[in-house]
Amino acid sequence: MNGGVTYSKRARTTTRRIRIRRIRVAGLLVVIAAIAAALGYESLASSSSTTASPIDVLRSASPSRNSSRPIGEADGAVPDGTTVFDDEIPGVANLDPALLGALRQAATDAADDGVEFYVTSGWRSPEYQNQLLREAVSTYGSEEEAAQWVATADTSPHVSGDAVDIRPFDATAWLSEHGAKYGLCQIYRNESWHYELRPEAIDHGCPPMYADPTHDPRMQQ
Ligand SMILES: [Zn+2]
């Protein structure tokens, strides 16, 4: 009987020790994970300007890479307050270099007039464009209606990096007055914010606008 008590006491003590050790190990792992996360975040943030944010890395690493995966900055979604000078934002960085150069020149001159350009949308991945199209179809009720506003991934000049959407109103008003000098032209009458590069506009002015994208031969493919 005595031996039994001693045994169970010993066993309990051993169990408690193991539990304490486990808690210590778990605590240590949490600390290590926190340090690794902090270091990882810092090295991501301080490394190359084209590195995606940790959230985007997690998103693109997700195994469910299907058509409805969350769209992030790596797809061209731009955060509030993005300007044409934000090299680290893929939606800006992946624009055609000539378009981006013209935008930066124009934005610099506009700033002298007290006008600031913000980018609502620039380059977009095909996945992002397809999501916008699906949203437009559900908003407008039909593919025909949606086509007046949103192109497919195959035809959108945003996907090829040849178009940018600018806000706010005073920026697009400035561009409609001065943009041609930089080769920057509004293309669609129903999209005062959508600009593309037309280098011939520097000498000849911008070409006539299409009423909306459905009149654009590029959209007939
Ligand atoms: Zn646009």
Side-chain angles (χ1 to χ4, degrees):
M1 288 309 235
N2 224 354
V5 169
T6 311
Y7 174 79
S8 77
K9 242 187 202 167
R10 213 180 277 152
R12 231 180 286 140
T13 316
T14 313
T15 311
R16 204 182 301 144
R17 272 196 199 129
I18 288 169
R19 209 175 287 146
I20 289 167
R21 207 178 303 146
R22 275 199 189 134
I23 289 166
R24 275 198 194 132
V25 169
L28 192 63
L29 284 177
V30 166
V31 170
I32 288 168
I35 290 168
L39 288 176
Y41 180 79
E42 260 174 33
S43 69
L44 268 178
S46 62
S47 65
S48 129
S49 60
T50 53
T51 307
S53 76
I55 287 167
D56 293 321
V57 172
L58 285 176
R59 276 176 182 166
S60 57
S62 144
S64 61
R65 197 183 164 87
N66 55 34
S67 57
S68 60
R69 75 190 165 87
I71 293 296
E73 268 183 42
D75 290 288
V78 299
D80 259 3
T82 297
T83 76
V84 296
F85 299 100
D86 285 333
D87 272 326
E88 74 282 9
I89 313 259
V92 172
N94 292 338
L95 285 172
D96 167 59
L99 170 62
L100 194 52
L103 282 167
R104 287 176 173 177
Q105 254 184 307
T108 303
D109 294 345
D112 291 341
D113 294 342
V115 173
E116 239 189 306
F117 289 12
Y118 290 100
V119 175
T120 312
S121 192
W123 167 83
R124 298 170 191 152
S125 72
E127 290 80 7
Y128 186 16
Q129 186 67 34
N130 284 330
Q131 178 183 291
L132 293 177
L133 185 57
R134 280 195 302 274
E135 285 169 3
V137 170
S138 79
T139 302
Y140 296 106
S142 73
E143 280 179 31
E144 290 73 26
E145 277 297 305
Q148 291 180 27
W149 300 95
V150 182
T152 67
D154 291 334
T155 59
S156 173
H158 282 281
V159 174
S160 60
D162 293 314
V164 67
D165 297 338
I166 295 290
R167 68 173 183 86
F169 175 77
D170 65 338
T172 56
W174 192 96
L175 275 173
S176 75
E177 198 183 337
H178 306 285
K181 273 187 275 181
Y182 306 86
L184 296 169
C185 295
Q186 182 184 336
I187 304 301
Y188 307 118
R189 214 174 301 136
N190 71 333
E191 294 187 15
S192 59
W193 53 86
H194 176 105
Y195 273 79
E196 296 183 30
L197 189 67
R198 294 289 181 272
E200 66 277 13
I202 296 168
D203 293 324
H204 306 292
C206 287
M209 291 178 207
Y210 301 110
D212 64 60
T214 59
H215 294 83
D216 184 342
R218 293 178 299 174
M219 303 300 148
Q220 313 301 323
Q221 293 166 23

